[in-house]
């Protein structure tokens, strides 16, 4: 999606972006300011500390979100798509230099994508738990029910994923408009108590804090970072709405509302230091507490929904690029691309989220687990973006200037979050390393399989040339042999001839290629090569953000001269039984066992390619790798 919105489309797009993009960053006021004092640093509630923390929050939002993500990173779009997978694909597709640094950055980008799975489990847990903890302010009798209620809401949230969120999603925007409006009003109410708090807009207070107490300020930086954890979401969802609606929503509503609320909390605590326990909820008058808890819970559910949907999209992109095995994907809303549901990922996320709630038991404890993965992602995103923009010819002086600003700040956030490793930061790191390891094992294993398939490959031209002199009988109909090879004859065809000694009148060697760009131009989607004797090699090119549908694409082939009855076609697929060469390396043996398990349990190709199962013939073969 481009930024060419006319005035009629801009407002709906901006409203939709509010409901999807800003849920994560918009619910940070529930816990971020409070944890800056009550978290790892155990900061004293003093005027200098309050002003210093607010100044750090203000300039983190300005530098990281407003400047880095909205004005720089969003320039590095992949055909309008954003997100770290899109950025990795962009690096692969559009940079001419393939140096060692290029390879390192691609691997780092994939590791960054793996880290987002840890965030996908933490965000729903900390968001919903922080909202329901407001019930303890109504009466302490609610305290024993906070965790059961949190788990109940999370089970309900993950259970409705299979129904799709298209209809519910239409009300997300108006609800978030109400939420940000309430944030702003609550903030103004707090600022009224101590207007002097606005002095903290100056960066001098952050610098003063850093100079006066460098060790303490560094620890606080790890919690202040929680105010910008939604930055990656802004970039990832750019393809759904375009950059312009996201920027408009941020600068017109979201940023002012967030700053007003944080400063309101600061003013309240400056007025009465005891309010640091729950400054967000104490901004509201007594009569508004329960309605605010209800609204907070709804907002956190929306934030969680956005993260869950993002993990589904990330998984599909990784599958399409060959970094994860095929899994069952359910299209929940007709042809709407973004409305998908991946059952396996959904239930794994639910189990991880419930486990986090039971293990950490409070949003304060979860705040220690939150941030490390996103901090690592932001470091990786900065390097990837600068490298891509360099390949696009951006001024070296400008890129050096941006690097001088962004890289030290990113590493400062990363270093501050490392301090939380043993208090919970180990969880997203463990999840990220585990997912990344599976991605590398799968990608390398598939690469070995393709290499083995190419070994002894029979040229298509030689096969067709020798066909008239062979004893093979041609029968009526069309056979479509799906192959991972862009050249040569697939093993499934050779096995078919070996066992049946027949071949259809018309034969198509079909290769589906997923390319490292988001969307393939229409004139490059189908490539047809005539090999002779009614043999055709056809390549379907898809972008990593396009839905694969082989029968649908075959219908388009009729307009390009292949006027066959594809509804009556027989599809032939190869199914490999893997035999591994003997190895003395324990690491290799374990890696091979994991790959074999993933390969056996990968989703069926018929489902992935949308091929009618009653038209499919599978040809088994053994491959040694």
């Amino acid at each position: 999606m481009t930024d060419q919105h006319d005035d009629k489309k801009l407002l709906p797009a901006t409203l939709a972006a509010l409901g999807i993009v800003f849920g994560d960053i918009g619910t940070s006021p529930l816990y971020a300011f409070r944890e800056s004092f009550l978290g790892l640093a155990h900061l004293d509630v003093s005027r200098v500390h309050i002003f210093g923390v607010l100044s750090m929050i203000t300039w983190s939002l300005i530098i990281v979100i407003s400047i880095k993500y909205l004005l720089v990173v969003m320039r590095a779009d992949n055909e309008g798509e954003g997100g770290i997978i899109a950025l990795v694909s962009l690096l692969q597709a559009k940079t001419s230099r393939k140096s060692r640094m290029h390879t390192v950055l691609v691997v780092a980008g994939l590791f960054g994508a793996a880290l987002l799975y840890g965030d996908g489990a933490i965000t729903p847990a900390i968001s919903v738990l922080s909202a329901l903890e407001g019930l303890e302010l109504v009466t302490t009798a609610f305290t024993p029910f906070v965790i059961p209620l949190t788990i109940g809401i999370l089970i309900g949230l993950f259970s409705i994923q299979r129904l799709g969120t298209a209809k519910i999603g239409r009300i997300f925007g108006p609800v978030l408009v109400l939420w940000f409006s309430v944030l702003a009003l609550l903030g103004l109410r707090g600022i009224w108590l101590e207007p002097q708090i606005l002095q903290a807009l100056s960066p001098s207070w952050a610098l003063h804090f850093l100079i006066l107490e460098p060790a303490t300020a560094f620890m606080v930086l790890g919690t202040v970072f929680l105010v910008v954890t939604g930055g990656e979401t802004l970039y990832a969802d750019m393809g759904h709405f375009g950059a312009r609606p996201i920027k408009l929503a941020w600068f017109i509503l979201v940023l002012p509302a967030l700053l007003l609320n944080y400063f309101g909390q600061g003013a309240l605590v400056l007025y009465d230091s005891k309010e640091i326990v729950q400054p967000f909820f104490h901004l509201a008058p007594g009569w508004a507490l329960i309605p605010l808890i209800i609204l907070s819970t709804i907002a956190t559910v929306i934030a969680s929904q956005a993260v869950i949907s993002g993990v589904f999209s990330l998984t599909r992109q990784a599958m399409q690029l060959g970094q994860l095995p095929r899994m069952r994907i359910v299209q929940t809303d007709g042809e709407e691309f973004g409305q998908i549901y991946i059952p396996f990922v959904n239930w794994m996320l639910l189990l991880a989220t419930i486990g986090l709630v039971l293990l950490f038991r409070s949003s304060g404890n979860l705040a220690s687990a939150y941030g490390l993965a996103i901090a690592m992602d932001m470091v990786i995103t900065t390097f990837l973006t600068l490298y891509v923009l360099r390949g696009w010819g951006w001024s070296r002086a400008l890129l050096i200037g941006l690097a001088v600003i962004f890289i030290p700040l990113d590493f400062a956030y990363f270093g501050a979050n490392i301090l939380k490793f043993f208090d919970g930061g180990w969880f997203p790191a463990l999840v990220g390393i585990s997912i990344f390891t599976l991605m590398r094992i799968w990608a390398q294993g598939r690469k070995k399989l393709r290499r083995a398939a190419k070994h002894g490959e029979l040229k298509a031209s030689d096969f067709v040339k020798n066909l008239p002199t062979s004893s093979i009988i041609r029968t009526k109909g069309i056979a479509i042999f799906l192959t991972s090879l862009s050249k040569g004859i697939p093993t499934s065809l050779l096995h078919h001839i070996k066992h049946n000694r027949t071949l259809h009148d018309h034969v198509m060697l079909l290769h589906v290629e997923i390319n490292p760009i988001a969307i393939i131009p229409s004139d490059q989607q189908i490539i047809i090569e005539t090999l002779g004797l009614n043999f055709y090699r056809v390549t379907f090119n898809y972008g990593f953000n396009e839905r694969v549908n082989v029968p649908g694409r075959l219908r388009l082939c009729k307009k390009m001269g292949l006027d066959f009855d594809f509804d009556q076609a027989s599809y032939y697929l190869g199914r490999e039984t893997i035999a591994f060469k003997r190895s003395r390396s324990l690491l290799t043996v374990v890696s091979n066992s994991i790959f074999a398990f993933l390969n056996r349990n990968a989703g069926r190709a018929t489902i992935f390619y949308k091929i009618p199962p009653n038209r499919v013939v599978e040809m088994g073969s053994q491959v040694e790798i």
Side-chain angles (χ1 to χ4, degrees):
M1 185 173 182
T2 67
D3 285 340
Q4 304 302 315
H5 292 275
D6 56 34
D7 291 338
K8 292 183 179 179
K9 292 181 179 179
L10 183 58
L11 183 59
T14 302
L15 189 63
L18 271 171
I20 300 299
V21 177
F22 295 103
D24 188 0
I25 201 168
T27 51
S28 296
L30 286 165
Y31 49 82
F33 179 78
R34 178 194 71 200
E35 290 306 315
S36 297
F37 289 86
L38 303 182
L40 185 66
H42 300 293
L43 198 61
D44 292 334
V45 182
S46 66
R47 185 173 185 273
V48 171
H49 289 157
I50 293 171
F51 278 50
V53 168
L54 287 175
S55 182
M56 292 168 75
I57 288 174
T58 300
W59 290 95
S60 293
L61 289 169
I62 291 173
I63 295 174
V64 176
I65 305 299
S66 301
I67 298 176
K68 176 184 168 181
Y69 276 95
L70 295 185
L71 300 184
V72 178
V73 175
M74 280 190 175
R75 298 289 186 94
D77 67 288
N78 190 335
E79 306 294 335
E81 295 294 329
I84 198 161
I85 285 284
L87 197 53
V88 170
S89 302
L90 195 62
L91 193 68
Q92 293 175 315
K94 293 193 175 182
T95 52
S96 57
R97 299 177 64 183
K98 299 294 188 290
S99 62
R100 181 176 294 180
M101 176 60 73
H102 173 277
T103 303
V104 169
L105 287 174
V106 168
V107 173
L110 293 173
F111 179 60
L115 286 169
L116 293 175
Y117 284 90
D119 177 53
I122 295 175
T123 297
I126 191 173
S127 299
V128 176
L129 191 54
S130 62
L132 290 176
E133 283 172 346
L135 290 171
E136 295 175 337
L137 301 179
V138 179
T139 171
T140 55
F142 279 121
T143 301
F145 300 101
V146 170
I147 290 178
L149 282 172
T150 299
I151 292 174
I153 289 174
L154 290 172
I155 291 174
L157 174 63
F158 281 94
S159 296
I160 65 170
Q161 294 303 308
R162 61 188 177 84
L163 304 177
T165 58
K167 294 179 181 179
I168 301 174
R170 296 189 184 103
I171 67 169
F172 283 3
V175 170
L176 265 295
V177 170
L178 175 62
W179 170 251
F180 285 113
S181 300
V182 170
L183 288 185
L185 291 173
L186 291 174
L188 287 171
R189 187 171 186 267
I191 292 170
W192 182 261
L193 296 172
E194 292 284 355
Q196 61 172 309
I197 200 70
L198 295 176
Q199 296 175 36
L201 287 168
S202 170
S204 62
W205 285 100
L207 293 173
H208 179 68
F209 184 23
L210 287 165
I211 294 169
L212 190 66
E213 302 175 67
T216 303
F218 186 68
M219 284 191 288
V220 171
L221 194 63
T223 311
V224 167
F225 180 73
L226 297 177
V227 307
V228 297
T229 51
E232 285 291 322
T233 305
L234 271 65
Y235 179 45
D237 285 326
M238 183 172 64
H240 295 293
F241 308 103
R244 191 180 171 198
I246 292 174
K247 291 176 182 178
L248 185 64
W250 173 255
F251 288 110
I252 296 298
L253 178 60
V254 179
L255 178 60
L258 289 175
L259 288 177
L260 284 171
N261 194 267
Y262 285 126
F263 274 75
Q265 291 186 49
L268 178 65
V269 174
L270 185 63
Y271 182 78
D272 183 357
S273 62
K274 295 179 182 178
E275 299 288 5
I276 192 60
V277 178
Q278 280 289 6
F280 175 80
F281 289 107
H282 282 152
L283 282 174
W287 61 265
L289 182 57
I290 292 180
L292 180 59
I293 293 170
I294 294 172
L295 179 60
S296 299
T297 304
I298 295 171
T300 57
V301 167
I302 292 174
S304 302
Q305 177 60 61
V307 171
I308 295 167
S309 298
V311 171
F312 289 162
S313 297
L314 175 69
T315 302
R316 175 167 57 186
Q317 290 178 355
M319 286 165 52
Q320 304 244 106
L321 289 172
Q323 297 298 327
L324 285 174
R326 291 188 298 264
M327 293 177 236
R328 179 170 169 252
I329 298 178
V330 178
Q331 191 72 31
T332 60
D333 184 37
E335 296 300 312
E336 183 65 28
F337 182 79
Q339 296 296 326
I340 61 170
Y341 166 63
I342 305 178
F344 178 77
V345 174
N346 184 70
W347 299 120
M348 289 300 100
L349 271 181
L350 173 61
L351 291 176
T353 302
I354 292 175
L356 285 168
V357 172
L358 294 174
L359 179 63
F360 290 93
R361 306 192 72 81
S362 76
S363 62
N365 293 334
L366 268 170
S368 298
Y370 200 27
L372 181 58
I374 304 299
M376 283 192 276
D377 261 331
M378 287 191 174
V379 172
I380 294 168
T381 295
T382 296
F383 278 100
L384 291 177
T385 301
L386 294 176
Y387 195 85
V388 166
L389 295 179
R390 178 189 175 195
W392 284 359
W394 275 43
S395 163
R396 182 182 292 269
L398 175 59
L399 291 175
I400 290 174
L402 293 174
V404 168
I405 297 171
F406 296 150
I407 292 176
L409 187 61
D410 284 340
F411 273 107
Y413 286 131
F414 177 52
N417 276 280
I418 284 179
L419 297 177
K420 301 189 292 184
F421 182 84
F422 292 106
D423 292 310
W426 56 267
F427 175 80
L430 178 63
V431 171
I433 291 170
S434 301
I435 298 293
F436 177 72
T437 301
L438 291 177
M439 291 170 72
R440 298 312 297 160
I441 289 174
W442 177 255
Q444 292 299 320
R446 295 303 299 176
K447 186 177 180 180
K448 290 178 183 178
L449 277 180
R450 287 193 297 271
R451 197 158 49 227
K454 286 183 179 181
H455 183 70
E457 175 184 294
L458 178 63
K459 290 184 178 179
S461 57
D462 292 341
F463 178 85
V464 174
K465 181 180 178 181
N466 295 326
L467 196 58
T469 60
S470 69
S471 60
I472 298 171
I473 301 171
R474 304 295 291 267
T475 60
K476 290 183 179 181
I478 177 170
I480 301 173
F481 290 86
L482 273 79
T483 173
S484 61
L485 304 175
S486 57
K487 297 179 181 179
I489 298 297
T491 305
S492 55
L493 191 153
L494 297 177
H495 278 262
H496 170 70
I497 292 174
K498 177 182 177 180
H499 292 289
N500 299 313
R501 306 301 302 170
T502 61
L503 197 59
H504 292 68
D505 275 340
H506 297 89
V507 176
M508 177 187 291
L509 308 180
L510 178 59
H511 173 63
V512 177
E513 182 74 23
I514 308 295
N515 296 271
I517 61 175
I519 300 174
I520 300 294
S522 57
D523 61 339
Q524 300 174 27
Q525 291 178 354
I526 302 174
I527 299 174
I528 299 175
E529 178 186 358
T530 302
L531 303 175
L533 298 180
N534 294 328
F535 261 75
Y536 306 91
R537 181 182 301 284
V538 179
T539 301
F540 288 169
N541 285 309
Y542 287 90
F544 69 85
N545 222 23
E546 294 183 282
R547 188 164 61 251
V548 177
N549 187 332
V550 166
R553 191 65 65 90
L554 284 171
R555 286 190 286 272
L556 297 178
C557 290
K558 289 190 174 185
K559 301 177 181 178
M560 303 177 68
L562 298 183
D563 191 13
F564 304 125
D565 186 3
F566 290 113
D567 291 335
Q568 298 302 314
S570 297
Y571 296 84
Y572 290 83
L573 281 73
R575 191 167 184 87
E576 309 97 346
T577 299
I578 303 173
F580 295 101
K581 296 177 181 177
R582 297 189 66 178
S583 174
R584 295 181 179 179
S585 169
L586 178 62
L587 187 62
T588 301
V589 172
V590 172
S591 175
N592 289 343
S593 299
I594 293 173
F595 176 70
F597 174 80
L598 293 175
N599 193 61
R600 284 195 306 270
N601 292 279
R604 299 180 68 84
T606 52
I607 297 175
F608 184 77
Y609 293 123
K610 306 293 190 296
I611 297 171
N614 61 337
R615 308 295 308 173
V616 173
V617 179
E618 289 191 347
M619 308 297 294
S621 62
Q622 181 167 303
V623 180
E624 186 179 53
I625 62 174

